[in-house]
Amino acid sequence: MGTPSPSLWAVLVLAMALVALWAPCVESEQPNFIVILADDVGWGDLGANWAETKETPHLDRLAAEGTRFVDFHSAASTCSPSRASLLTGRLGVRNGVTHNFAISSLGGLPLNETTLAEVLREAGYATGAIGKWHLGHHGRHHPNSRGFDYYFGIPYSHDMGCTDSPGYNLPPCPPCPRHGTAARAARKDCYTEVALPLLENTTIVQQPVELGSLAARYAEEAARFIRRASDSGRPFFLYLALAHMHVPLTPPLPPALGRDIYGATLAEMDALVGRIKEVADSHGKGNTLLWFTGDNGPWAQKCELAGRLGPFVGAWQRQRGGSSAKQTTWEGGHRVPALAYWPGRVPAKRTSHALLSVLDIFPTLVALAGAALPPNRRFDGLDVSPVLFGWSDVGHKVLLHPNSGAAGKVGEIEALRLAQYKAFYTTGGAMACDGSTGPAQQHQPPLIFNLARDVQEQEALEVTSREYQAVLPAISTAYARVLQDIAADNVSVADYSQDPAAIPCCDARHAGCRCRGDPGAAADPHAEPRTPRLFL
């Protein structure tokens, strides 16, 4: 072969220069991922979002060193559906999880749905889940069967089982029964028969859980998982689902003078996140994306034990009764705080106004890992890497908000966002602090708000106004297309059947299923012996 011509050499030199310029932007190895999901946290619970909040210095620093997303939404306004959507990138009408699972549920997230952990493990990742699961714990629905190499946490919300130190709740629940004594009468939504279990993989390691030390144990286990994965040389995915800020609240110390119970608990959550960031900085090899967000808005019926909505008060609904937070499709129910931190990759001190969702975590992490989305299904989430890296500030054109218990059939799509406009085909208020609820109302044509000038959702557009008439056709078209797309998709159906045998029980011979050796345990001679493991 002859010597290249001068013009060809020039082309080769230019190509090499371009490769050199591009090389710093391309990761030579797969990044690590940490997703921290807070429970029932309000948009206004971060000082970076709401100046009145003073208890979140670590989260505020995370915002300053990373990017803050101010128009970020959960995929539902209640626990199980929101978590199922995070781990599948699909809404409940597609993945089958439309409402919460019970302590005696036989089913969970349908087994034909592929989780983010399964995709990443196949791509070579070490995968760990720490904290609340609430996607089914019986049989193959357990986290260890859904792609997670390691699990440490509670199988559902921490108010779904009694404890010896119940913490703060409204109204309060009694502690677990001891020494075979019958549980004293309590309100119907208190769990008094079975203690809350703590699991390490499939083994119950504590029942009842010591709530006061749970945050410290989560931080310890998360740090251990990160260190082990880092030492192994494998990339890792850690899903840390906190008990904060769901009731009961268990601040580590009696609230200081001038600080309320909620604020003291919020400060504990903030410190926990700060600890995880510290470990990630030390052991993440400079290649770790940390993403913090929430599963839904505050649980307003808990009054002073509920979070802060910020400006998203749902004033239209409040005027008609009920709460406009958790379980509703008002902004306070699904607009949640969100922060992303990745030194050198995610821009610092940046605020993004892109319309984003928890649904986007799945496709974004899959893309960053160099993996492929599962076939034969449609996704509601987007790969938002361009927004994450500051190359764009464009997210969803249309975002859907499913009914989550306050009104309408659960899981059905009867509210949607199109640019700055939000349309409601059904409205309703969840139970408020004063015990009131807002009746379900159907709207045809839909109720439409312009969030660009009315984030409080106070005054709907007049149906006869020029603005309403201009935007209605686009909303109607988008809504029809969404329903057609869902109808044509490969959708799943969750099994919500229940059986008392599915309830995690360390030792059925002891009151509340207490583990052997617990100081409050006393054997019931009539009970069948049971090993301290789940039924797998």
Side-chain angles (χ1 to χ4, degrees):
M1 187 171 66
T3 304
S5 66
S7 59
L8 180 56
W9 274 118
V11 171
L12 289 172
V13 169
L14 178 60
M16 292 173 68
L18 290 173
V19 168
L21 287 171
W22 176 249
C25 299
V26 179
E27 291 296 333
S28 59
E29 57 184 20
Q30 293 168 304
N32 307 308
F33 304 125
I34 301 174
V35 175
I36 303 179
L37 188 70
D39 201 340
D40 290 1
V41 69
W43 189 92
D45 279 337
L46 269 62
N49 283 348
W50 197 240
E52 295 176 14
T53 297
K54 308 296 183 185
E55 299 92 349
T56 58
H58 296 95
L59 283 162
D60 297 344
R61 182 181 174 190
L62 196 68
E65 296 179 359
T67 293
R68 179 173 65 106
F69 303 101
V70 294
D71 201 356
F72 194 96
H73 301 260
S74 61
S77 297
T78 192
C79 299
S80 297
S82 180
R83 291 156 201 273
S85 291
L86 187 157
L87 290 176
T88 64
R90 288 154 53 87
L91 288 164
V93 286
R94 300 186 197 270
N95 67 38
V97 181
T98 57
H99 54 288
N100 291 340
F101 293 104
I103 67 171
S104 54
S105 286
L106 289 171
L109 176 64
L111 300 177
N112 57 310
E113 290 290 324
T114 304
T115 71
L116 176 58
E118 288 170 327
V119 175
L120 293 179
R121 186 164 68 177
E122 185 70 20
Y125 278 70
T127 57
I130 293 173
K132 172 179 171 179
W133 179 239
H134 215 171
L135 290 174
H137 52 272
H138 185 69
R140 294 172 61 200
H141 296 287
H142 184 278
N144 288 148
S145 298
R146 304 314 306 265
F148 289 101
D149 301 322
Y150 179 73
Y151 175 64
F152 183 89
I154 55 177
Y156 28 71
S157 297
H158 64 290
D159 64 341
M160 295 175 67
C162 63
T163 61
D164 290 336
S165 299
Y168 297 92
N169 201 345
L170 284 176
C173 285
C176 285
R178 287 180 174 269
H179 305 298
T181 58
R184 63 173 179 257
R187 50 183 239 274
K188 63 181 181 179
D189 52 342
C190 284
Y191 289 77
T192 58
E193 299 300 323
V194 179
L196 183 69
L198 179 64
L199 279 61
E200 183 169 26
N201 294 319
T202 61
T203 301
I204 300 174
V205 296
Q206 191 179 60
Q207 194 171 12
V209 173
E210 173 47 58
L211 290 180
S213 63
L214 192 59
R217 296 193 71 170
Y218 282 175
E220 179 184 337
E221 293 299 329
R224 181 180 290 114
F225 174 82
I226 292 169
R227 287 193 295 265
R228 285 178 178 171
S230 179
D231 292 344
S232 75
R234 294 173 64 192
F236 65 82
F237 166 50
L238 172 62
Y239 169 51
L240 176 56
L242 306 178
H244 303 80
M245 295 296 299
H246 198 294
V247 293
L249 304 183
T250 54
L253 297 170
L257 187 65
R259 176 183 282 182
D260 59 14
I261 294 166
Y262 190 87
T265 310
L266 185 60
E268 182 186 46
M269 180 189 80
D270 179 72
L272 192 162
V273 174
R275 170 63 177 147
I276 300 305
K277 175 183 178 292
E278 182 181 280
V279 176
D281 286 339
S282 299
H283 297 276
K285 301 179 179 178
N287 194 24
T288 300
L289 168 62
L290 192 159
W291 204 325
F292 172 88
T293 188
D295 70 335
N296 48 248
W299 199 359
Q301 74 182 68
K302 298 301 177 178
C303 303
E304 68 268 21
L305 301 183
R308 301 151 187 172
L309 293 169
F312 306 107
V313 296
W316 189 94
Q317 184 61 57
R318 284 191 173 185
Q319 294 164 5
R320 291 157 178 80
S323 156
S324 55
K326 178 179 178 177
Q327 298 181 318
T328 79
T329 53
W330 298 98
E331 290 294 292
H334 53 75
R335 192 182 293 225
V336 290
L339 308 171
Y341 168 77
W342 188 355
R345 297 299 307 277
V346 170
K349 299 179 181 179
R350 175 171 174 257
T351 298
S352 169
H353 295 269
L355 179 59
L356 303 182
S357 168
V358 161
L359 292 158
D360 303 327
I361 292 175
F362 184 107
T364 302
L365 300 196
V366 168
L368 292 173
L373 291 174
N376 305 319
R377 68 202 65 191
R378 301 178 186 181
F379 293 86
D380 298 291
L382 305 174
D383 173 10
V384 295
S385 302
V387 180
L388 206 61
F389 298 142
W391 305 334
S392 167
D393 206 34
V394 178
H396 291 259
K397 294 179 180 178
V398 176
L399 189 62
L400 312 175
H401 302 301
N403 298 334
S404 297
K409 182 180 178 181
V410 289
E412 293 295 312
I413 309 299
E414 293 184 318
L416 77 156
R417 175 85 174 271
L418 175 67
Q420 76 267 36
Y421 294 100
K422 186 173 177 186
F424 292 85
Y425 291 88
T426 296
T427 57
M431 183 175 290
C433 176
D434 61 6
S436 68
T437 56
Q441 288 184 250
Q442 306 295 318
H443 302 278
Q444 195 59 255
L447 206 63
I448 301 176
F449 294 84
N450 184 339
L451 298 181
R453 61 171 182 266
D454 184 16
V455 295
Q456 296 183 338
E457 295 173 300
Q458 182 167 0
E459 187 173 348
L461 301 180
E462 288 288 342
V463 174
T464 57
S465 70
R466 189 172 296 176
E467 183 178 15
Y468 186 100
Q469 293 300 320
V471 74
L472 179 62
I475 287 174
S476 300
T477 299
Y479 188 49
R481 284 177 177 169
V482 162
L483 298 182
Q484 290 170 4
D485 184 75
I486 292 169
D489 195 11
N490 179 14
V491 301
S492 301
V493 178
D495 175 10
Y496 279 95
S497 63
Q498 299 184 39
D499 187 327
I503 299 174
C505 186
C506 191
D507 194 332
R509 294 171 297 175
H510 297 154
C513 285
R514 289 178 182 273
C515 291
R516 188 180 302 108
D518 185 282
D524 177 354
H526 303 293
E528 291 293 325
R530 218 156 152 184
T531 58
R533 285 183 176 272
L534 286 180
F535 303 107
L536 301 178

